[in-house]
Amino acid sequence: MTALQVAVVGVGPRGLSVLQRIPELAAELPPGCSLDVHLIDPGDSGQGVHSTQQPGHLLTNTVASQVTMFAEGQGPSFTEWAASSGYRQYGDAFHPTGDESGEPVGEHAYLPRQLLGAYLSWAFDQTVNGLPPHVRIVHHRDRAVDIEQRDARRFAIRLEKGFVVLSDYLFLTTGHCERTPTEEDRAYEEFARGSANRNPRLGYCSTPYPVNRLQQVAPGSTVAVQGFGLTAHDVISELTVGRGGTFHGSGLDTEYRASGREPRIRLFSRQCLPFSARGVNQKGITGAHQPQFFTKDSVRQLRQAALHRRGDPRLDFAEEVLPLLLREMGYAYRSAEEQRAIPPEDYELTTGDRRVLEEILNPLHGKQFSNQEAFAKFFVDYIVSDLEHAELGNATSPVKAATDVIRDTRASLREAVEFSGLTPESHEVFNSTYVPVMNRVSFGPPRHRNHQLLALMRAGIVSLAGGPGSRVVPDSEAARFTVRTDYPDGPELHHVDALVVARLDAFHPESDRSPLIANLLERGLVRPYSNGTFKPGGIDIDERGRPVTAVGEPLNSAWAVGYLVEGPRFYTHALPRQAMASQFTLDADMAVRDMVADINDRHNTTSEDEDAGSDRKSVSVP
């Protein structure tokens, strides 16, 4: 029996998605061919960053009933699994009691990420238990640090402990990353070290993950949190609920009772705008806005017109793509406002509709704030208004109906952006300007997170460190960081002991901490993706998902999927949605199908695995 060696480097959700496709396509392998699938990951299988060891107060930011690892309906959704596993809700906590106490897990619940990790591990176990006899798993609980191409079709993967895995096929699914320190990071770290003798509470945290890093923030100290997105909510939760504080009540009546171990939290960012809360889902588990104007076909037509007009199929997002998106959002807004299905042929984006959408996307436009007090009032009013729209729901609230369009038309955005679909200049503007706005208005936290933020502000635990344009200045004399905002009435200065940067790093191969990525670059097996002069991040791949080498050739017998290729691809980190087509699943399916096709092409030339034997059992290598 011929045994081919397959290596999956990184076994979070993306690695799991690849593993799921292997047994499903194993029937197409040549007669007598078997696979040894080497899973290389130091963590628990399937979990990735969704570790079961993280605190229970860290939540998923998608309604659990819409999350699944079985996009084609071959297994339960996250919510269905939780219910069948006996989980019940007790306030903000979920426990597997298996009885009728507490409340059932509802379809609108946002479940803890530690519970998502348990679901992913269960999905992994189901996949392994369902393997056919000619597919064997070998789990190496270690980290890959280098990969060498031994010949045109074989790889040697060196693990951190020194063991070498030889493979005929390679899948890179390494997931999230962490950057090497920037000049700013080094300057802040040096300032914190150099001034610690005068302020022992002084500290700098360039990333809050894992959140136990925040233990260095002393109770009673003042900490500035840079960012208002989902990561900032994790930081706030860890520094409050994670310190023993509790929330009581709901909605605008939510109250926070402090434990006394919290620091004073001061929030700021470049724009100082909060992320909008998710609207109540009125579309059902599988429901989504069906685009009428911003479709994949309409993007392809734009590309054909651009090629005909200027000899270049690449698009300008602001000039050519955005008008379609705005028209789609305006159509959803008007339909919700009038609560009727407007015939698409009867709708045009009016000046009034455009003005409303611009206000949603940029609520600071045309506004001036004379001082911090004026901006703080605007900030709170903005959150309250947004929560009112969120409570109305994503089909009843015109605002939430419009912003949900961004989430529901990701396929059209991918069609416009992926594989250098935009001009380099437009791609850079899209990433730096439009993506942050879309994330803020459409991919925000659950409603209760913003209710909790307001409760924390009322309790005096959280406040704003500044307003739009605020910046950090290390104050050597005071041995503290200073957050400064310049207002017409004069500068606003807030002194803090610690600074936490609350944002996820984009993956740029040249600045990643991973020794594996550094060695892949040095060997020329991968190269950073570039759209002309712009480098948005990620490694370069061809449209089959194969890494492109330093000399511009596809790396045969290898594929990369997920966050590693966020650059040539767009929005790679969303888990599949229940009963809906998912790019997450399609990418894995394409890569594994490519491998199976290659095996069929060359199976007569593969060497016999003399050590395989007939009794092939899965093993784990510690």
Side-chain angles (χ1 to χ4, degrees):
M1 180 180 289
T2 301
L4 292 173
Q5 308 301 306
V6 180
V8 181
V9 181
V11 196
R14 280 296 191 165
L16 175 56
S17 72
V18 168
L19 181 62
Q20 285 178 317
R21 301 307 295 156
I22 290 175
E24 292 175 10
L25 297 172
E28 300 178 19
L29 292 171
C33 179
S34 64
L35 299 180
D36 286 342
V37 183
H38 297 265
L39 305 178
I40 302 171
D41 194 304
D44 289 324
S45 300
Q47 293 181 13
V49 297
H50 309 288
S51 170
T52 56
Q53 303 305 309
Q54 62 189 307
H57 60 79
L58 300 181
L59 304 178
T60 57
N61 291 295
T62 301
V63 174
S65 58
Q66 294 184 336
V67 175
T68 184
M69 276 305 298
F70 306 93
E72 297 176 356
Q74 298 174 349
S77 71
F78 184 17
T79 296
E80 291 169 341
W81 168 84
S84 66
S85 300
Y87 280 89
R88 305 284 291 184
Q89 184 170 357
Y90 300 82
D92 292 333
F94 297 85
H95 300 289
T97 61
D99 56 30
E100 297 301 312
S101 61
E103 298 292 332
V105 178
E107 68 173 34
H108 297 294
Y110 292 86
L111 298 180
R113 291 207 290 272
Q114 62 172 211
L115 197 55
L116 176 58
Y119 169 63
L120 293 170
S121 284
W122 177 86
F124 172 86
D125 292 340
Q126 294 296 111
T127 301
V128 171
N129 291 337
L131 290 175
H134 58 297
V135 178
R136 183 179 74 141
I137 297 297
V138 183
H139 192 171
H140 303 268
R141 293 187 178 274
D142 201 354
R143 197 181 310 275
V145 294
D146 194 10
I147 297 176
E148 178 186 358
Q149 191 173 25
R150 288 286 174 89
D151 53 49
R153 290 187 176 275
R154 199 161 175 83
F155 301 95
I157 305 156
R158 184 166 61 86
L159 308 187
E160 197 167 45
K161 296 175 184 176
F163 189 76
V164 175
V165 176
L166 298 179
S167 70
D168 301 288
Y169 295 96
L170 173 66
F171 293 90
L172 296 172
T173 55
T174 51
H176 285 282
C177 62
E178 187 176 342
R179 69 177 187 272
T180 56
T182 64
E183 285 188 20
E184 184 177 74
D185 290 329
R186 288 189 288 269
Y188 289 167
E189 287 168 356
E190 179 59 33
F191 169 69
R193 281 193 301 269
S195 300
N197 60 333
R198 293 185 294 122
N199 181 3
R201 293 177 166 182
L202 194 60
Y204 174 66
C205 194
S206 61
T207 176
Y209 297 117
V211 294
N212 59 15
R213 293 184 182 187
L214 298 175
Q215 292 174 2
Q216 64 181 283
V217 177
S221 65
T222 303
V223 56
V225 177
Q226 185 176 17
F228 283 90
L230 304 178
T231 302
H233 281 282
D234 283 352
V235 172
I236 294 168
S237 185
E238 176 64 15
L239 294 176
T240 54
V241 176
R243 297 285 178 98
T246 54
F247 288 100
H248 301 268
S250 61
L252 293 174
D253 294 326
T254 302
E255 175 190 352
Y256 181 72
R257 297 175 191 171
S259 70
R261 298 192 295 274
E262 301 90 346
R264 293 178 294 273
I265 302 169
R266 304 292 179 256
L267 304 177
F268 77 102
S269 71
R270 184 178 60 181
Q271 286 195 309
C272 278
L273 284 173
F275 272 41
S276 299
R278 297 282 181 98
V280 172
N281 181 35
Q282 299 172 304
K283 301 176 182 179
I285 295 173
T286 62
H289 173 83
Q290 298 302 312
Q292 305 296 324
F293 311 104
F294 186 39
T295 64
K296 293 172 70 172
D297 283 342
S298 66
V299 174
R300 294 182 187 120
Q301 291 169 15
L302 286 177
R303 205 174 297 290
Q304 288 295 322
L307 179 63
H308 177 76
R309 186 169 61 253
R310 54 179 181 262
D312 186 345
R314 295 177 297 180
L315 301 172
D316 183 293
F317 183 81
E319 296 298 322
E320 296 171 300
V321 181
L322 183 60
L324 284 179
L325 175 57
L326 291 177
R327 188 180 182 191
E328 195 70 59
M329 292 175 68
Y331 176 73
Y333 184 96
R334 183 86 68 79
S335 297
E337 186 177 49
E338 298 183 10
Q339 284 297 292
R340 67 185 183 96
I342 300 174
E345 61 273 15
D346 292 346
Y347 178 76
E348 292 291 338
L349 183 66
T350 66
T351 302
D353 289 348
R354 179 180 289 274
R355 188 180 303 115
V356 168
L357 295 178
E358 289 173 349
E359 173 72 15
I360 293 171
L361 298 175
N362 184 12
L364 295 178
H365 180 70
K367 291 183 173 61
Q368 295 290 330
F369 306 97
S370 57
N371 51 43
Q372 183 65 26
E373 182 180 359
F375 178 73
K377 182 180 184 306
F378 162 82
F379 182 90
V380 171
D381 290 345
Y382 180 87
I383 295 179
V384 171
S385 175
D386 177 73
L387 284 169
E388 290 172 351
H389 282 285
E391 295 293 344
L392 288 175
N394 58 10
T396 302
S397 163
V399 171
K400 295 305 175 182
T403 55
D404 239 31
V405 164
I406 297 171
R407 185 170 181 245
D408 290 340
T409 59
R410 279 178 294 195
S412 302
L413 283 167
R414 291 190 181 104
E415 185 70 29
V417 174
E418 289 190 340
F419 294 105
S420 302
L422 303 177
T423 66
E425 299 79 11
S426 179
H427 197 172
E428 185 169 8
V429 172
F430 174 75
N431 275 24
S432 63
T433 301
Y434 293 102
V435 171
V437 170
M438 290 189 291
N439 288 341
R440 179 175 56 77
V441 302
S442 188
F443 299 98
R447 300 184 308 285
H448 75 274
R449 282 299 197 206
N450 276 355
H451 280 301
Q452 290 174 349
L453 176 59
L454 292 176
L456 288 165
M457 296 181 78
R458 289 192 295 268
I461 301 294
V462 172
S463 64
L464 299 178
S470 55
R471 62 191 189 278
V472 177
V473 181
D475 188 336
S476 299
E477 184 175 340
R480 302 180 84 189
F481 291 101
T482 300
V483 181
R484 176 183 177 125
T485 308
D486 292 316
Y487 288 107
D489 287 357
E492 179 82 12
L493 304 177
H494 282 265
H495 303 288
V496 300
D497 303 301
L499 173 62
V500 177
V501 178
R503 65 169 178 262
L504 289 176
D505 298 327
F507 172 64
H508 289 274
E510 312 96 309
S511 60
D512 191 65
R513 284 182 183 266
S514 166
L516 173 63
I517 299 300
N519 285 323
L520 287 172
L521 287 172
E522 185 175 353
R523 292 186 183 278
L525 295 183
V526 302
R527 69 181 185 184
Y529 167 66
S530 296
N531 180 3
T533 57
F534 176 53
K535 291 185 176 182
I539 64 169
D540 199 3
I541 56 172
D542 66 10
E543 295 202 15
R544 290 164 57 186
R546 298 179 299 175
V548 176
T549 66
V551 296
E553 298 293 332
L555 184 62
N556 289 321
S557 306
W559 297 266
V561 297
Y563 203 62
L564 196 63
V565 298
E566 181 73 20
R569 294 201 178 277
F570 175 67
Y571 210 88
T572 58
H573 50 276
L575 289 170
R577 287 184 62 179
Q578 183 77 341
M580 296 182 68
S582 168
Q583 194 64 44
F584 184 104
T585 305
L586 293 175
D587 290 345
D589 183 73
M590 178 172 60
V592 176
R593 284 186 184 278
D594 212 12
M595 178 187 73
V596 172
D598 188 76
I599 292 172
N600 278 292
D601 286 343
R602 67 170 183 163
H603 77 275
N604 289 327
T605 62
T606 56
S607 60
E608 189 73 15
D609 184 353
E610 298 178 349
D611 299 324
S614 59
D615 183 16
R616 302 171 51 76
K617 297 181 179 178
S618 296
V619 298
S620 180
V621 180

